[in-house]
Amino acid sequence: TAERAEAADESLRDDIGTECQNQYGDVVDVVVHVCADAGAAGDIVRTFVRFARQASAMKAYLGLDGRYFDGRELVAWFYSEEAFESQQLDLPLT
């Protein structure tokens, strides 16, 4: 149901935000986004973490890429700030 999906997203947002804050640096925002067309995007859920400092983002990138979370391999990317700000969260990862 929609309520269960929203609760799962909130739990994921909290878990990732806390872990990133504790391991990599000050977290400004965490956004969990379910892709509109999972087949075209190549994934189902994207989690965006915005850090206060670029150095923290780099540490998170190095620490998270290729790691497994809940049985799924994480792929870390730097995403366009302009696309993020305008809520274009389904863009291809290139």
Side-chain angles (χ1 to χ4, degrees):
T1 67
E3 292 89 20
R4 274 190 6 189
E6 189 173 313
D9 288 352
E10 186 173 331
S11 176
L12 180 62
R13 186 173 36 252
D14 291 345
D15 289 350
I16 289 178
T18 299
E19 181 172 340
C20 286
Q21 178 81 28
N22 291 338
Q23 292 191 26
Y24 306 116
D26 290 336
V27 171
V28 175
D29 194 15
V30 178
V31 174
V32 176
H33 173 71
V34 178
C35 292
D37 183 359
D43 52 11
I44 297 171
V45 176
R46 291 183 177 178
T47 305
F48 298 86
V49 182
R50 182 184 299 202
F51 290 91
R53 298 181 56 235
Q54 185 177 7
S56 298
M58 182 56 76
K59 284 175 29 181
Y61 173 81
L62 294 172
L64 294 172
D65 191 46
R67 203 173 117 193
Y68 282 84
F69 180 82
D70 198 24
R72 295 182 179 188
E73 184 176 8
L74 299 178
V75 178
W77 288 86
F78 286 100
Y79 203 74
S80 161
E81 285 186 62
E82 294 82 19
F84 180 79
E85 289 294 331
S86 63
Q87 297 295 299
Q88 297 178 23
L89 305 179
D90 288 323
L91 296 178
L93 301 177
T94 57

